[in-house]
Structure formats: structure tokens, C-alpha cells
Amino acid sequence: MAPLAAPFAAADPAERIIVALDGMDPDQALAFAIGLPKLRWVKVGLELYAAGGPVVVQQLHDQGKQVFLDLKFHDIPATMAGACRSAARLGAQLITVHACAGSEALRAAQESAQESAGVAGLPAPTLLAVTVLTSWDPARFAAELKITEPLANYVPQLAQLAAQAGIGGCVCSPLEVAQLRADHPVPFHLVTPGIRPAGVALGDQQRVLTPAQAISAGSSQMVIGRPITAAPDPAAAFAACCAEVGAALA
Ligand code: C5P
């Protein structure tokens, strides 16, 4: 099955920025999202989902936000299909799955997400494959998992597996985006966390790109958390990121 079309209008900078609603309880997340009327995309991760469940996804969707549901599904094909069926019904537009679940599970996830959104009258979501979590360092990855393939080769291989299974894109680190974009042209969807505007604290991120660099390297969309959510004026920080992305797109 062909990958789904990218669910964003490329020319609008606000469509390129997904704000990670981390470290917030559901009420805080909903208030934050309402407080930024120009914000189009939010990421609901395990932390917020564990606290707020499906309701918070539906509430954000009802606010008019597009939701990236980052629950990183990894299971047998039938369970992956069921999880993606339910996630698509909630109105999530981006949904993460682990590429290493394998092609059968990825195909099942993709098909059920698409079918379920159609039944609910919603646009089909794009599934994003997670390749190798960036928290692994190459030596520990090899030693603990007994995987002989170097980590640097493993990431593009898993991306290829996902693409061949009909998955529409990948989540990738700033270090990987240029290579993955070379291997997988648009409309394959590349979403990049690890973004820091110039002059903003790195926090626990080590290897980062600025919003403009992410666009130039081929990111479809970027995930930005604390540079916006922890800013003294989040609306101003979001506007500054949009301006930088807009200039890079021009
Ligand atoms: O606050 P910050 O901009 O660092 O948040 C980045 C978001 O992207 C967080 O939700 C984090 O879990 C996620 N992420 C990441 N690095 C990855 C994958 C996901 O920072 N490799």
C-alpha cells in the first residue's frame, strides 16, 4: 500500500512545528494548547497519555489541534492493528510504531489505521516508524542486544523495512534526517525532535538542530518541547520558531 499523503500544508510554518506537551497534567496541557491559538500540532506522549488517556487526545482534537500520538506501539500484528485502529478513531493524525515489530505488524497497523479513520469520517493518519531510540549508545546497543550490525547501518535498514511495509514516515534524530531524506524523498514524512533555536539551553539534548537547519536537512515537521513550553512567554517563543521556519521555507 502506498504511503499516505503528508498531512500538512508545507508552506505554513505553524504546520511544521509540533509542540511536545511533556511534564503537564491533562488540565495544564489543555490550557496550554488553548492559550496558543496559532498552535496547530501537539504531541501527546506516554506521560500525558498515562495521565489523561484517550479523553485528552479527543479534547485536543476537539480544540482543533492536530495530535501526534507518540505511544511507540510494538507488539504482535493483531495487537498493533487493534491499537492503531483505536488511535486513528481518536483523531490522532500521526501515530508512532516501532519498526522492529516487523513488516507484518507494520502492514497490519497501517491498514487498520487507515480503515478505522475512514469509518470514523476522519482523515487517514500517517504512521511514523521509530527505528532505534536515540538513548542507545552504539557500544551498549551492540553489547546488550547482541546485534552485530553497526547502529549507524541499522537505522536506515529499519527505515527501509518500514517504508516497504507502507509506513508513511519515520521519527529521526537530527543526525539521521539528511541521510533518511536522501533515501526516502517527499512525501515520506520525517519528524525530528532534538530542536533548539539558537541561544536556547540544550537541557538534556546533546545533538541538536535549529528549526532552520531541520528544514534545510529535509525534516517534514519538527518536535519542540521545552524551548516553547518552558519559555517565559510560550506564545512569543512559538512565534519566533514559526518565523525562523518561515524564513527557511522562503
Ligand atoms: O523539550 P524537548 O524539545 O527536548 O522535547 C523533545 C521531545 O521529543 C520530547 O517529547 C522527547 O521525548 C522527544 N524525543 C526526543 N528525542 C528523540 C525522540 C523523542 O527528544 N530521539
Side-chain angles (χ1 to χ4, degrees):
M1 184 184 298
L4 304 176
F8 67 98
D12 179 353
E15 295 285 346
R16 301 296 199 109
I17 297 172
I18 304 170
V19 172
L21 301 177
D22 298 326
M24 300 183 198
D25 67 30
D27 288 344
Q28 289 169 326
L30 292 165
F32 181 89
I34 283 182
L36 264 66
K38 295 199 172 141
L39 174 64
R40 300 284 304 120
W41 284 86
V42 293
K43 180 168 91 82
V44 175
L46 287 165
E47 185 183 353
L48 180 56
Y49 193 81
V55 173
V56 75
V57 176
Q58 278 167 322
Q59 287 172 322
L60 288 163
H61 184 250
D62 292 347
Q63 274 187 18
K65 306 302 184 197
Q66 305 273 11
V67 178
F68 171 12
L69 186 59
D70 185 19
L71 302 182
K72 299 185 179 67
F73 296 136
H74 182 189
D75 214 308
I76 59 171
T79 305
M80 294 271 282
C84 287
R85 187 175 302 119
S86 298
R89 264 201 300 263
L90 297 176
Q93 269 295 283
L94 294 170
I95 300 167
T96 43
V97 292
H98 271 284
C100 57
S103 60
E104 191 189 338
L106 295 173
R107 273 198 197 90
Q110 174 65 48
E111 285 170 13
S112 73
Q114 191 160 2
E115 183 191 310
S116 165
V119 169
L122 294 164
T126 294
L127 267 51
L128 299 174
V130 175
T131 55
V132 177
L133 295 171
T134 49
S135 46
W136 281 110
D137 81 65
R140 201 166 51 82
F141 180 78
E144 291 187 10
L145 300 188
K146 312 288 182 219
I147 291 173
T148 48
E149 191 75 29
L151 200 154
N153 299 344
Y154 203 59
V155 169
Q157 277 176 18
L158 285 172
Q160 184 66 21
L161 173 79
Q164 283 172 349
I167 296 297
C170 278
V171 180
C172 62
S173 87
L175 291 185
E176 296 157 357
V177 62
Q179 183 188 350
L180 290 186
R181 178 54 79 211
D183 294 346
H184 303 276
V186 172
F188 198 72
H189 205 77
L190 293 177
V191 175
T192 317
I195 302 292
R196 288 293 177 271
V200 170
L202 294 188
D204 50 7
Q205 297 280 9
Q206 301 296 322
R207 295 172 297 226
V208 298
L209 291 182
T210 65
Q213 287 169 335
I215 293 295
S216 304
S219 291
S220 310
Q221 290 179 294
M222 62 198 77
V223 175
I224 309 180
R226 289 159 291 179
I228 293 173
T229 56
D233 182 347
F238 177 68
C241 290
C242 287
E244 184 176 335
V245 167
L249 288 170

